[in-house]
PDB file of all heavy atoms in Angstrom:
ATOM      1  N   MET A   1       0.830  -1.199   0.000  1.00  0.00           N
ATOM      2  CA  MET A   1       0.000   0.000   0.000  1.00  0.00           C
ATOM      3  C   MET A   1       0.864   1.247   0.000  1.00  0.00           C
ATOM      4  O   MET A   1       2.018   1.219   0.435  1.00  0.00           O
ATOM      5  CB  MET A   1      -0.921   0.004   1.218  1.00  0.00           C
ATOM      6  CG  MET A   1      -2.201  -0.769   1.011  1.00  0.00           C
ATOM      7  SD  MET A   1      -3.260  -0.781   2.475  1.00  0.00           S
ATOM      8  CE  MET A   1      -2.640  -2.266   3.268  1.00  0.00           C
ATOM      9  N   ILE A   2       0.306   2.325  -0.496  1.00  0.00           N
ATOM     10  CA  ILE A   2       0.963   3.622  -0.417  1.00  0.00           C
ATOM     11  C   ILE A   2       0.002   4.599   0.258  1.00  0.00           C
ATOM     12  O   ILE A   2      -1.196   4.344   0.353  1.00  0.00           O
ATOM     13  CB  ILE A   2       1.374   4.162  -1.800  1.00  0.00           C
ATOM     14  CG1 ILE A   2       0.132   4.394  -2.676  1.00  0.00           C
ATOM     15  CG2 ILE A   2       2.368   3.239  -2.478  1.00  0.00           C
ATOM     16  CD1 ILE A   2       0.433   5.122  -3.979  1.00  0.00           C
ATOM     17  N   LEU A   3       0.561   5.697   0.727  1.00  0.00           N
ATOM     18  CA  LEU A   3      -0.265   6.711   1.374  1.00  0.00           C
ATOM     19  C   LEU A   3      -1.163   7.384   0.347  1.00  0.00           C
ATOM     20  O   LEU A   3      -0.696   7.867  -0.679  1.00  0.00           O
ATOM     21  CB  LEU A   3       0.626   7.748   2.055  1.00  0.00           C
ATOM     22  CG  LEU A   3      -0.096   8.867   2.793  1.00  0.00           C
ATOM     23  CD1 LEU A   3      -0.859   8.322   3.998  1.00  0.00           C
ATOM     24  CD2 LEU A   3       0.894   9.946   3.232  1.00  0.00           C
ATOM     25  N   ILE A   4      -2.456   7.417   0.630  1.00  0.00           N
ATOM     26  CA  ILE A   4      -3.412   8.105  -0.231  1.00  0.00           C
ATOM     27  C   ILE A   4      -3.664   9.495   0.338  1.00  0.00           C
ATOM     28  O   ILE A   4      -4.050   9.629   1.503  1.00  0.00           O
ATOM     29  CB  ILE A   4      -4.739   7.329  -0.322  1.00  0.00           C
ATOM     30  CG1 ILE A   4      -4.510   5.975  -1.005  1.00  0.00           C
ATOM     31  CG2 ILE A   4      -5.792   8.137  -1.088  1.00  0.00           C
ATOM     32  CD1 ILE A   4      -5.728   5.067  -0.980  1.00  0.00           C
ATOM     33  N   THR A   5      -3.430  10.495  -0.464  1.00  0.00           N
ATOM     34  CA  THR A   5      -3.698  11.874  -0.061  1.00  0.00           C
ATOM     35  C   THR A   5      -5.061  12.270  -0.595  1.00  0.00           C
ATOM     36  O   THR A   5      -5.264  12.340  -1.807  1.00  0.00           O
ATOM     37  CB  THR A   5      -2.618  12.830  -0.601  1.00  0.00           C
ATOM     38  OG1 THR A   5      -1.337  12.416  -0.116  1.00  0.00           O
ATOM     39  CG2 THR A   5      -2.885  14.255  -0.149  1.00  0.00           C
ATOM     40  N   ALA A  43      -6.547   0.759  -3.703  1.00  0.00           N
ATOM     41  CA  ALA A  43      -6.108   1.322  -2.421  1.00  0.00           C
ATOM     42  C   ALA A  43      -5.416   0.297  -1.542  1.00  0.00           C
ATOM     43  O   ALA A  43      -4.589   0.658  -0.697  1.00  0.00           O
ATOM     44  CB  ALA A  43      -7.311   1.901  -1.675  1.00  0.00           C
ATOM     45  N   TYR A  44      -5.713  -0.982  -1.718  1.00  0.00           N
ATOM     46  CA  TYR A  44      -5.153  -2.019  -0.856  1.00  0.00           C
ATOM     47  C   TYR A  44      -4.051  -2.831  -1.521  1.00  0.00           C
ATOM     48  O   TYR A  44      -2.946  -2.922  -1.012  1.00  0.00           O
ATOM     49  CB  TYR A  44      -6.261  -2.945  -0.358  1.00  0.00           C
ATOM     50  CG  TYR A  44      -7.265  -2.269   0.545  1.00  0.00           C
ATOM     51  CD1 TYR A  44      -8.629  -2.546   0.438  1.00  0.00           C
ATOM     52  CD2 TYR A  44      -6.869  -1.347   1.513  1.00  0.00           C
ATOM     53  CE1 TYR A  44      -9.555  -1.935   1.274  1.00  0.00           C
ATOM     54  CE2 TYR A  44      -7.789  -0.721   2.342  1.00  0.00           C
ATOM     55  CZ  TYR A  44      -9.137  -1.024   2.222  1.00  0.00           C
ATOM     56  OH  TYR A  44     -10.058  -0.416   3.033  1.00  0.00           O
ATOM     57  N   MET A  46      -2.834  -2.464  -4.742  1.00  0.00           N
ATOM     58  CA  MET A  46      -2.050  -1.646  -5.691  1.00  0.00           C
ATOM     59  C   MET A  46      -2.082  -2.150  -7.130  1.00  0.00           C
ATOM     60  O   MET A  46      -1.241  -1.777  -7.943  1.00  0.00           O
ATOM     61  CB  MET A  46      -0.596  -1.493  -5.236  1.00  0.00           C
ATOM     62  CG  MET A  46      -0.408  -0.817  -3.900  1.00  0.00           C
ATOM     63  SD  MET A  46       1.346  -0.680  -3.424  1.00  0.00           S
ATOM     64  CE  MET A  46       1.803  -2.408  -3.262  1.00  0.00           C
ATOM     65  N   PHE A 116      -7.053   0.060  10.474  1.00  0.00           N
ATOM     66  CA  PHE A 116      -6.071   0.951   9.852  1.00  0.00           C
ATOM     67  C   PHE A 116      -6.685   1.602   8.623  1.00  0.00           C
ATOM     68  O   PHE A 116      -7.779   1.241   8.182  1.00  0.00           O
ATOM     69  CB  PHE A 116      -4.807   0.183   9.465  1.00  0.00           C
ATOM     70  CG  PHE A 116      -5.049  -0.940   8.490  1.00  0.00           C
ATOM     71  CD1 PHE A 116      -5.163  -0.705   7.131  1.00  0.00           C
ATOM     72  CD2 PHE A 116      -5.145  -2.248   8.936  1.00  0.00           C
ATOM     73  CE1 PHE A 116      -5.384  -1.728   6.228  1.00  0.00           C
ATOM     74  CE2 PHE A 116      -5.358  -3.298   8.041  1.00  0.00           C
ATOM     75  CZ  PHE A 116      -5.477  -3.026   6.695  1.00  0.00           C
ATOM     76  N   SER A 117      -5.968   2.561   8.071  1.00  0.00           N
ATOM     77  CA  SER A 117      -6.466   3.269   6.893  1.00  0.00           C
ATOM     78  C   SER A 117      -5.306   3.636   5.979  1.00  0.00           C
ATOM     79  O   SER A 117      -4.260   4.094   6.453  1.00  0.00           O
ATOM     80  CB  SER A 117      -7.196   4.549   7.315  1.00  0.00           C
ATOM     81  OG  SER A 117      -7.458   5.372   6.188  1.00  0.00           O
ATOM     82  N   PRO A 118      -5.471   3.465   4.660  1.00  0.00           N
ATOM     83  CA  PRO A 118      -4.410   3.843   3.721  1.00  0.00           C
ATOM     84  C   PRO A 118      -4.229   5.351   3.587  1.00  0.00           C
ATOM     85  O   PRO A 118      -3.344   5.796   2.866  1.00  0.00           O
ATOM     86  CB  PRO A 118      -4.864   3.217   2.398  1.00  0.00           C
ATOM     87  CG  PRO A 118      -6.351   3.113   2.526  1.00  0.00           C
ATOM     88  CD  PRO A 118      -6.609   2.832   3.974  1.00  0.00           C
ATOM     89  N   ILE A 119      -5.055   6.141   4.265  1.00  0.00           N
ATOM     90  CA  ILE A 119      -4.838   7.593   4.256  1.00  0.00           C
ATOM     91  C   ILE A 119      -4.118   8.043   5.529  1.00  0.00           C
ATOM     92  O   ILE A 119      -3.939   9.234   5.748  1.00  0.00           O
ATOM     93  CB  ILE A 119      -6.165   8.371   4.078  1.00  0.00           C
ATOM     94  CG1 ILE A 119      -7.038   8.248   5.318  1.00  0.00           C
ATOM     95  CG2 ILE A 119      -6.909   7.903   2.846  1.00  0.00           C
ATOM     96  CD1 ILE A 119      -8.281   9.120   5.253  1.00  0.00           C
ATOM     97  N   ASP A 120      -3.693   7.080   6.346  1.00  0.00           N
ATOM     98  CA  ASP A 120      -3.002   7.357   7.607  1.00  0.00           C
ATOM     99  C   ASP A 120      -1.501   7.107   7.444  1.00  0.00           C
ATOM    100  O   ASP A 120      -1.068   5.962   7.275  1.00  0.00           O
ATOM    101  CB  ASP A 120      -3.580   6.471   8.712  1.00  0.00           C
ATOM    102  CG  ASP A 120      -2.883   6.656  10.056  1.00  0.00           C
ATOM    103  OD1 ASP A 120      -2.073   7.597  10.191  1.00  0.00           O
ATOM    104  OD2 ASP A 120      -3.148   5.853  10.967  1.00  0.00           O
ATOM    105  N   LYS A 121      -0.704   8.152   7.521  1.00  0.00           N
ATOM    106  CA  LYS A 121       0.742   8.040   7.324  1.00  0.00           C
ATOM    107  C   LYS A 121       1.381   7.119   8.354  1.00  0.00           C
ATOM    108  O   LYS A 121       2.299   6.346   8.039  1.00  0.00           O
ATOM    109  CB  LYS A 121       1.389   9.417   7.386  1.00  0.00           C
ATOM    110  CG  LYS A 121       2.887   9.410   7.117  1.00  0.00           C
ATOM    111  CD  LYS A 121       3.471  10.812   7.172  1.00  0.00           C
ATOM    112  CE  LYS A 121       4.978  10.781   6.917  1.00  0.00           C
ATOM    113  NZ  LYS A 121       5.567  12.149   7.003  1.00  0.00           N
ATOM    114  N   GLN A 122       0.916   7.182   9.595  1.00  0.00           N
ATOM    115  CA  GLN A 122       1.497   6.346  10.644  1.00  0.00           C
ATOM    116  C   GLN A 122       1.289   4.863  10.353  1.00  0.00           C
ATOM    117  O   GLN A 122       2.171   4.043  10.630  1.00  0.00           O
ATOM    118  CB  GLN A 122       0.905   6.708  12.002  1.00  0.00           C
ATOM    119  CG  GLN A 122       1.375   8.066  12.527  1.00  0.00           C
ATOM    120  CD  GLN A 122       0.868   8.352  13.924  1.00  0.00           C
ATOM    121  OE1 GLN A 122      -0.265   7.993  14.275  1.00  0.00           O
ATOM    122  NE2 GLN A 122       1.694   8.994  14.729  1.00  0.00           N
ATOM    123  N   PHE A 123       0.134   4.521   9.786  1.00  0.00           N
ATOM    124  CA  PHE A 123      -0.083   3.127   9.398  1.00  0.00           C
ATOM    125  C   PHE A 123       0.856   2.732   8.273  1.00  0.00           C
ATOM    126  O   PHE A 123       1.489   1.663   8.318  1.00  0.00           O
ATOM    127  CB  PHE A 123      -1.530   2.890   8.960  1.00  0.00           C
ATOM    128  CG  PHE A 123      -1.683   1.675   8.093  1.00  0.00           C
ATOM    129  CD1 PHE A 123      -1.440   0.408   8.603  1.00  0.00           C
ATOM    130  CD2 PHE A 123      -2.019   1.790   6.746  1.00  0.00           C
ATOM    131  CE1 PHE A 123      -1.541  -0.726   7.801  1.00  0.00           C
ATOM    132  CE2 PHE A 123      -2.128   0.667   5.944  1.00  0.00           C
ATOM    133  CZ  PHE A 123      -1.883  -0.598   6.471  1.00  0.00           C
ATOM    134  N   ILE A 124       0.962   3.551   7.241  1.00  0.00           N
ATOM    135  CA  ILE A 124       1.824   3.233   6.096  1.00  0.00           C
ATOM    136  C   ILE A 124       3.255   2.984   6.550  1.00  0.00           C
ATOM    137  O   ILE A 124       3.955   2.113   6.013  1.00  0.00           O
ATOM    138  CB  ILE A 124       1.767   4.367   5.050  1.00  0.00           C
ATOM    139  CG1 ILE A 124       0.354   4.492   4.460  1.00  0.00           C
ATOM    140  CG2 ILE A 124       2.786   4.123   3.933  1.00  0.00           C
ATOM    141  CD1 ILE A 124      -0.133   3.267   3.715  1.00  0.00           C
ATOM    142  N   GLU A 125       3.700   3.703   7.564  1.00  0.00           N
ATOM    143  CA  GLU A 125       5.074   3.539   8.054  1.00  0.00           C
ATOM    144  C   GLU A 125       5.294   2.212   8.762  1.00  0.00           C
ATOM    145  O   GLU A 125       6.438   1.830   9.017  1.00  0.00           O
ATOM    146  CB  GLU A 125       5.428   4.706   8.978  1.00  0.00           C
ATOM    147  CG  GLU A 125       5.574   6.029   8.225  1.00  0.00           C
ATOM    148  CD  GLU A 125       5.795   7.224   9.140  1.00  0.00           C
ATOM    149  OE1 GLU A 125       5.600   7.068  10.377  1.00  0.00           O
ATOM    150  OE2 GLU A 125       6.164   8.301   8.643  1.00  0.00           O
ATOM    151  N   THR A 126       4.220   1.475   9.081  1.00  0.00           N
ATOM    152  CA  THR A 126       4.378   0.150   9.701  1.00  0.00           C
ATOM    153  C   THR A 126       4.531  -0.961   8.672  1.00  0.00           C
ATOM    154  O   THR A 126       4.832  -2.097   9.032  1.00  0.00           O
ATOM    155  CB  THR A 126       3.162  -0.202  10.604  1.00  0.00           C
ATOM    156  OG1 THR A 126       2.016  -0.522   9.783  1.00  0.00           O
ATOM    157  CG2 THR A 126       2.832   0.932  11.557  1.00  0.00           C
ATOM    158  N   ILE A 127       4.331  -0.652   7.403  1.00  0.00           N
ATOM    159  CA  ILE A 127       4.332  -1.678   6.360  1.00  0.00           C
ATOM    160  C   ILE A 127       5.755  -2.111   6.016  1.00  0.00           C
ATOM    161  O   ILE A 127       6.674  -1.296   5.911  1.00  0.00           O
ATOM    162  CB  ILE A 127       3.602  -1.173   5.102  1.00  0.00           C
ATOM    163  CG1 ILE A 127       2.103  -1.047   5.389  1.00  0.00           C
ATOM    164  CG2 ILE A 127       3.830  -2.121   3.919  1.00  0.00           C
ATOM    165  CD1 ILE A 127       1.310  -0.518   4.235  1.00  0.00           C
ATOM    166  N   ARG A 128       5.906  -3.408   5.830  1.00  0.00           N
ATOM    167  CA  ARG A 128       7.170  -4.007   5.422  1.00  0.00           C
ATOM    168  C   ARG A 128       6.901  -5.010   4.308  1.00  0.00           C
ATOM    169  O   ARG A 128       5.786  -5.471   4.119  1.00  0.00           O
ATOM    170  CB  ARG A 128       7.841  -4.735   6.596  1.00  0.00           C
ATOM    171  CG  ARG A 128       8.140  -3.853   7.802  1.00  0.00           C
ATOM    172  CD  ARG A 128       9.244  -2.850   7.502  1.00  0.00           C
ATOM    173  NE  ARG A 128       9.598  -2.078   8.683  1.00  0.00           N
ATOM    174  CZ  ARG A 128       9.019  -0.917   9.012  1.00  0.00           C
ATOM    175  NH1 ARG A 128       8.027  -0.427   8.269  1.00  0.00           N
ATOM    176  NH2 ARG A 128       9.422  -0.249  10.076  1.00  0.00           N
ATOM    177  N   TYR A 129       7.961  -5.365   3.562  1.00  0.00           N
ATOM    178  CA  TYR A 129       7.848  -6.380   2.514  1.00  0.00           C
ATOM    179  C   TYR A 129       9.000  -7.374   2.655  1.00  0.00           C
ATOM    180  O   TYR A 129      10.103  -7.008   3.055  1.00  0.00           O
ATOM    181  CB  TYR A 129       7.910  -5.750   1.121  1.00  0.00           C
ATOM    182  CG  TYR A 129       6.752  -4.844   0.796  1.00  0.00           C
ATOM    183  CD1 TYR A 129       6.802  -3.487   1.115  1.00  0.00           C
ATOM    184  CD2 TYR A 129       5.610  -5.327   0.180  1.00  0.00           C
ATOM    185  CE1 TYR A 129       5.735  -2.643   0.830  1.00  0.00           C
ATOM    186  CE2 TYR A 129       4.538  -4.494  -0.107  1.00  0.00           C
ATOM    187  CZ  TYR A 129       4.616  -3.152   0.217  1.00  0.00           C
ATOM    188  OH  TYR A 129       3.560  -2.324  -0.068  1.00  0.00           O
ATOM    189  N   ILE A 135       3.605  -8.820   1.868  1.00  0.00           N
ATOM    190  CA  ILE A 135       3.406  -7.579   2.603  1.00  0.00           C
ATOM    191  C   ILE A 135       3.030  -7.905   4.046  1.00  0.00           C
ATOM    192  O   ILE A 135       2.352  -8.889   4.320  1.00  0.00           O
ATOM    193  CB  ILE A 135       2.317  -6.706   1.943  1.00  0.00           C
ATOM    194  CG1 ILE A 135       2.233  -5.324   2.614  1.00  0.00           C
ATOM    195  CG2 ILE A 135       0.965  -7.395   1.958  1.00  0.00           C
ATOM    196  CD1 ILE A 135       1.293  -4.355   1.893  1.00  0.00           C
ATOM    197  N   SER A 136       3.498  -7.067   4.987  1.00  0.00           N
ATOM    198  CA  SER A 136       3.182  -7.264   6.396  1.00  0.00           C
ATOM    199  C   SER A 136       3.231  -5.922   7.104  1.00  0.00           C
ATOM    200  O   SER A 136       3.576  -4.897   6.519  1.00  0.00           O
ATOM    201  CB  SER A 136       4.165  -8.245   7.046  1.00  0.00           C
ATOM    202  OG  SER A 136       5.487  -7.725   7.006  1.00  0.00           O
ATOM    203  N   SER A 137       2.878  -5.938   8.385  1.00  0.00           N
ATOM    204  CA  SER A 137       2.936  -4.745   9.212  1.00  0.00           C
ATOM    205  C   SER A 137       3.639  -5.081  10.512  1.00  0.00           C
ATOM    206  O   SER A 137       3.537  -6.202  11.022  1.00  0.00           O
ATOM    207  CB  SER A 137       1.528  -4.215   9.503  1.00  0.00           C
ATOM    208  OG  SER A 137       1.567  -3.189  10.490  1.00  0.00           O
ATOM    209  N   THR A 138       4.349  -4.120  11.072  1.00  0.00           N
ATOM    210  CA  THR A 138       4.998  -4.329  12.364  1.00  0.00           C
ATOM    211  C   THR A 138       3.984  -4.328  13.494  1.00  0.00           C
ATOM    212  O   THR A 138       4.296  -4.715  14.614  1.00  0.00           O
ATOM    213  CB  THR A 138       6.042  -3.235  12.622  1.00  0.00           C
ATOM    214  OG1 THR A 138       5.405  -1.944  12.530  1.00  0.00           O
ATOM    215  CG2 THR A 138       7.170  -3.295  11.607  1.00  0.00           C
ATOM    216  N   TYR A 142      -2.806  -4.851  12.767  1.00  0.00           N
ATOM    217  CA  TYR A 142      -2.849  -4.491  11.348  1.00  0.00           C
ATOM    218  C   TYR A 142      -2.446  -5.688  10.485  1.00  0.00           C
ATOM    219  O   TYR A 142      -3.058  -5.964   9.449  1.00  0.00           O
ATOM    220  CB  TYR A 142      -1.904  -3.338  11.051  1.00  0.00           C
ATOM    221  CG  TYR A 142      -2.195  -2.049  11.772  1.00  0.00           C
ATOM    222  CD1 TYR A 142      -1.221  -1.046  11.837  1.00  0.00           C
ATOM    223  CD2 TYR A 142      -3.422  -1.806  12.389  1.00  0.00           C
ATOM    224  CE1 TYR A 142      -1.477   0.151  12.485  1.00  0.00           C
ATOM    225  CE2 TYR A 142      -3.678  -0.617  13.041  1.00  0.00           C
ATOM    226  CZ  TYR A 142      -2.693   0.363  13.091  1.00  0.00           C
ATOM    227  OH  TYR A 142      -2.926   1.551  13.737  1.00  0.00           O
ATOM    228  N   MET A 146      -4.620  -7.363   7.517  1.00  0.00           N
ATOM    229  CA  MET A 146      -4.145  -7.390   6.135  1.00  0.00           C
ATOM    230  C   MET A 146      -4.182  -8.813   5.585  1.00  0.00           C
ATOM    231  O   MET A 146      -4.482  -9.039   4.410  1.00  0.00           O
ATOM    232  CB  MET A 146      -2.725  -6.820   6.057  1.00  0.00           C
ATOM    233  CG  MET A 146      -2.656  -5.327   6.291  1.00  0.00           C
ATOM    234  SD  MET A 146      -0.993  -4.728   6.641  1.00  0.00           S
ATOM    235  CE  MET A 146      -0.165  -5.080   5.108  1.00  0.00           C
ATOM    236  N   GLY A 215       4.185   0.402  -4.139  1.00  0.00           N
ATOM    237  CA  GLY A 215       4.480   0.459  -2.715  1.00  0.00           C
ATOM    238  C   GLY A 215       5.722  -0.318  -2.328  1.00  0.00           C
ATOM    239  O   GLY A 215       6.530   0.135  -1.508  1.00  0.00           O
ATOM    240  N   ILE A 218       8.834   1.701  -3.436  1.00  0.00           N
ATOM    241  CA  ILE A 218       9.083   2.850  -2.567  1.00  0.00           C
ATOM    242  C   ILE A 218       9.722   2.398  -1.264  1.00  0.00           C
ATOM    243  O   ILE A 218      10.731   2.951  -0.804  1.00  0.00           O
ATOM    244  CB  ILE A 218       7.774   3.608  -2.300  1.00  0.00           C
ATOM    245  CG1 ILE A 218       7.241   4.214  -3.604  1.00  0.00           C
ATOM    246  CG2 ILE A 218       7.984   4.702  -1.248  1.00  0.00           C
ATOM    247  CD1 ILE A 218       5.822   4.741  -3.496  1.00  0.00           C
ATOM    248  N   TRP A 219       9.144   1.349  -0.649  1.00  0.00           N
ATOM    249  CA  TRP A 219       9.684   0.847   0.617  1.00  0.00           C
ATOM    250  C   TRP A 219      11.120   0.347   0.435  1.00  0.00           C
ATOM    251  O   TRP A 219      12.005   0.650   1.246  1.00  0.00           O
ATOM    252  CB  TRP A 219       8.801  -0.296   1.129  1.00  0.00           C
ATOM    253  CG  TRP A 219       9.361  -0.950   2.361  1.00  0.00           C
ATOM    254  CD1 TRP A 219       9.222  -0.532   3.647  1.00  0.00           C
ATOM    255  CD2 TRP A 219      10.174  -2.136   2.411  1.00  0.00           C
ATOM    256  NE1 TRP A 219       9.888  -1.383   4.505  1.00  0.00           N
ATOM    257  CE2 TRP A 219      10.479  -2.374   3.765  1.00  0.00           C
ATOM    258  CE3 TRP A 219      10.660  -3.018   1.447  1.00  0.00           C
ATOM    259  CZ2 TRP A 219      11.260  -3.459   4.177  1.00  0.00           C
ATOM    260  CZ3 TRP A 219      11.434  -4.092   1.848  1.00  0.00           C
ATOM    261  CH2 TRP A 219      11.722  -4.301   3.196  1.00  0.00           C
ATOM    262  N   GLN A 222      13.628   3.301  -0.198  1.00  0.00           N
ATOM    263  CA  GLN A 222      13.824   4.076   1.018  1.00  0.00           C
ATOM    264  C   GLN A 222      14.747   3.327   1.993  1.00  0.00           C
ATOM    265  O   GLN A 222      15.602   3.928   2.636  1.00  0.00           O
ATOM    266  CB  GLN A 222      12.483   4.377   1.683  1.00  0.00           C
ATOM    267  CG  GLN A 222      11.657   5.407   0.939  1.00  0.00           C
ATOM    268  CD  GLN A 222      10.275   5.611   1.538  1.00  0.00           C
ATOM    269  OE1 GLN A 222       9.751   4.722   2.228  1.00  0.00           O
ATOM    270  NE2 GLN A 222       9.682   6.746   1.281  1.00  0.00           N
TER     271      GLN A 222
END
Side-chain angles (χ1 to χ4, degrees):
M1 275 179 270
I2 63 171
L3 181 66
I4 295 173
T5 302
Y44 295 139
M46 299 180 296
F116 60 81
S117 169
I119 70 174
D120 178 10
K121 183 179 179 181
Q122 289 185 323
F123 159 66
I124 296 298
E125 290 175 348
T126 73
I127 291 178
R128 301 291 184 270
Y129 295 89
I135 187 173
S136 62
S137 170
T138 56
Y142 299 164
M146 289 164 65
I218 295 168
W219 175 83
Q222 288 175 337

